[in-house]
Amino acid sequence: MPLPTSTLLGFMADNLEKRNSVMPLSSHRMTQWAAGLDLPQGGESILYTGHMYQMIPALEYVEQMTSRFEDHWMGKLFPVGRVLNKYFNLSWFLSRVRREEQRRYDEYLRNIVRLLRTAGVGEFGYLYGEELYTGALVHDLGLDDVFEEHVHKVYKILVKHGVKRVITVDPHTTDMLRNVYPKIIPEYGLEVKSYLQVLRELDQKPTSRLESDIVMHDSCVYARYLDTVEEPRGLLEKAGATILEPEQSGKLTFCCGGPVESLFPGKAREIAGRRIEQLAAAGRDVVTMCPICLLNLRNAAKGNGTSVRDISGYLMKAYGGLEVSSGDIVEED
Amino acid sequence: MARVNSEFIDEIRQSDSFDASACMHCGQCTAICPMGLDLLPRRLFFYVGAGLEDKVIENRETIFSCLLCKLCEENCPRGVNIADDVRFLRNYINRKVHKLARN
Ligand code: SF4
Ligand code: SF4
């Protein structure tokens, strides 16, 4: 039995409306990555995480649960869950997420801050607990009225803090803040760039060389919604890496399956499996630049000898300068 | 027998974003789609154009299976905004079938 679509959609709409996120986790969980980095609260330029990296460990846990439900009589319990969810925050059961996993995803964000600082981007802040999820998934699922209400909430907060420039860390948040929000808010005048674009423009000299052959997995959203194809290649090649292109790459990249994960986990796994085959045929070290691609491809790669890593680790190794001494450069799986 | 629904046609005509009428049914999108969605977008756009609401709703699993990956758009000779059109249909189904409208 497929998962009950309308119930799951209802879940997400309820959560965004009442708890400002599709994956309501504690504010501590969303902001703890920034501890000790001394990022000012707000400011004209800010880093906007959109909660995507922080959400992945919890998402992974939920996916394991729902893919078990998909072919299971327990799937029928979902309607009950939706009613309960209105009154209780079901995220309590997400507290089981493994701490090491959360730390790993937090570390990607910390690396991005270090990279931007080393490249000399100038001062930028962070909204901490006031930062909200952009609503990307709810937008994609066509839950327009809940989404639009949410966009106004997010925009109000950005205005309150006098934000003019936003640096994003993932493609989905970038597309929302750069392309979708201005369609809903006519006076929206924010400049939105991904950290890859910012780093590429600053054109910093690498501080150490990457002697690696790296298979590039372009995210659909970066490649086809945001025209970000050259930036990751340019940054890695400048540091000496050789980019290996899979059968479908750049503008013709093949999806990781992530976008249908919430409703059809089985279909998502099938797409991820086909993509990892294409990538593995090109080489064994795969790089991604979207947390959703990372999660899906990493799961699909289990046991096939390929390793899938986030680009921030490679960039940290190449451009991180003195801070490279920490043991978290390119994490080992 | 599929029902032709005039309210459905009106709503689609009124939308300035839904541009599936530009589709010339060449099949390029279907050939390249990772999901192998033979229905999406070609046949579906035909149903929409013909105002067959029942057919569109019958195929709602397909509509929600689209990855919005836009690979099809790279190949579309008519520059149809396929992903946006799919989102438009999702919104229609959410309101009319899933009863998820807030207002
Ligand atoms: S956007 Fe949808 S219809 Fe187009 S190629 Fe991707 S999955 Fe297929
Ligand atoms: S590629 Fe474009 S014109 Fe051809 S069938 Fe698909 S949507 Fe229609």
Side-chain angles (χ1 to χ4, degrees), chain A residues 23-321:
Chain A
M23 181 65 64
L25 295 170
S26 68
S27 169
H28 174 71
R29 175 84 51 93
M30 290 305 180
T31 58
Q32 67 187 359
W33 68 273
L37 289 173
D38 290 325
L39 288 165
Q41 168 111 30
E44 284 199 4
S45 298
I46 58 162
L47 184 88
Y48 205 93
T49 73
H51 297 181
M52 301 289 283
Y53 276 94
Q54 301 95 308
M55 266 196 267
I56 296 294
L59 216 54
E60 189 164 22
Y61 180 71
V62 170
E63 276 163 19
Q64 282 164 6
M65 307 271 296
T66 49
S67 56
R68 256 183 263 152
F69 283 169
E70 197 177 24
D71 307 306
H72 198 280
W73 60 269
M74 279 176 80
K76 297 197 180 91
L77 290 179
F78 265 96
V80 183
R82 185 178 172 205
V83 175
L84 277 178
N85 193 42
K86 283 202 165 147
Y87 304 100
F88 305 103
N89 189 345
L90 289 188
S91 65
W92 57 264
F93 81 105
L94 297 177
S95 58
R96 297 214 223 156
V97 171
R98 278 167 46 222
R99 204 158 278 166
E100 322 85 85
E101 204 50 18
Q102 189 72 47
R103 258 202 292 269
R104 183 213 282 251
Y105 281 85
D106 284 355
E107 198 55 33
Y108 298 134
L109 296 170
R110 299 172 65 80
N111 278 343
I112 290 168
V113 168
R114 293 175 187 130
L115 282 164
L116 288 165
R117 284 180 170 163
T118 315
V121 74
E123 184 164 274
F124 58 93
Y126 171 50
L127 296 179
Y128 293 87
E130 282 190 89
E131 186 194 273
L132 298 181
Y133 172 58
T134 58
L137 182 60
V138 168
H139 170 262
D140 289 353
L141 292 172
L143 294 159
D144 291 7
D145 45 4
V146 179
F147 173 72
E148 283 171 24
E149 238 172 71
H150 185 75
V151 169
H152 286 283
K153 263 190 236 172
V154 174
Y155 184 63
K156 234 186 185 164
I157 296 168
L158 291 166
V159 169
K160 183 181 116 189
H161 285 277
V163 176
K164 296 207 161 60
R165 279 173 301 277
V166 178
I167 303 173
T168 50
V169 299
D170 75 89
H172 296 270
T173 303
T174 315
D175 177 51
M176 285 297 121
L177 294 181
R178 189 193 295 171
N179 298 332
V180 178
Y181 277 40
K183 286 189 202 147
I184 294 164
I185 296 172
E187 68 274 21
Y188 188 90
L190 271 66
E191 178 196 282
V192 180
K193 288 183 181 177
S194 73
Y195 83 98
L196 294 173
Q197 199 184 345
V198 171
L199 292 178
R200 189 71 183 123
E201 282 170 11
L202 290 168
D203 202 23
Q204 186 200 349
K205 246 180 90 194
T207 45
S208 67
R209 278 186 66 79
L210 288 173
E211 309 288 352
S212 333
D213 293 346
I214 304 171
V215 183
M216 180 68 65
H217 168 73
D218 291 282
S219 116
C220 299
V221 177
Y222 263 147
R224 289 190 281 268
Y225 285 64
L226 296 159
D227 211 11
T228 300
V229 172
E230 192 282 329
E231 289 83 348
R233 287 169 176 75
L235 285 164
L236 294 174
E237 277 172 345
K238 193 172 176 187
T242 304
I243 304 294
L244 304 173
E245 301 286 356
E247 189 187 321
Q248 285 183 261
S249 77
K251 286 272 185 194
L252 292 178
T253 189
F254 191 93
C255 187
C256 69
V260 293
E261 183 73 59
S262 56
L263 297 182
F264 309 106
K267 291 184 198 200
R269 273 196 303 275
E270 188 197 316
I271 294 289
R274 281 166 59 197
R275 180 53 169 170
I276 203 74
E277 268 178 37
Q278 288 185 349
L279 296 165
R284 54 173 306 279
D285 291 306
V286 176
V287 70
T288 59
M289 49 204 114
C290 164
I292 297 177
C293 298
L294 180 66
L295 169 67
N296 277 279
L297 296 175
R298 196 173 257 169
N299 284 341
K302 275 181 189 146
N304 84 345
T306 353
S307 63
V308 184
R309 297 187 174 103
D310 189 79
I311 193 170
S312 57
Y314 283 106
L315 295 178
M316 193 61 197
K317 187 175 178 198
Y319 298 95

Side-chain angles (χ1 to χ4, degrees), chain A residues 2 5-6 9-10 13-14 17 82 139-146 220 224-225 248 251-255 257 259-260 263-264 267 271 274, chain B residues 32-37 60-62 64-72 74-75 83-84 87-88 90-92 94-95 98 100-103:
Chain A
T5 306
S6 65
L9 289 168
D14 292 349
E17 200 175 38
R82 185 178 172 205
H139 170 262
D140 289 353
L141 292 172
L143 294 159
D144 291 7
D145 45 4
V146 179
C220 299
R224 289 190 281 268
Y225 285 64
Q248 285 183 261
K251 286 272 185 194
L252 292 178
T253 189
F254 191 93
C255 187
V260 293
L263 297 182
F264 309 106
K267 291 184 198 200
I271 294 289
R274 281 166 59 197
Chain B
I32 202 174
C33 172
M35 297 296 277
L37 300 178
R60 66 179 194 271
E61 175 162 340
T62 310
F64 280 93
S65 299
C66 169
L67 299 156
L68 304 181
C69 71
K70 292 198 179 183
L71 186 55
C72 50
E74 281 299 308
N75 254 22
D84 273 349
R87 256 191 23 79
F88 179 92
R90 287 179 178 178
N91 181 247
Y92 187 84
N94 285 337
R95 283 183 287 123
H98 297 148
L100 291 169
R102 289 297 198 265
N103 313 315

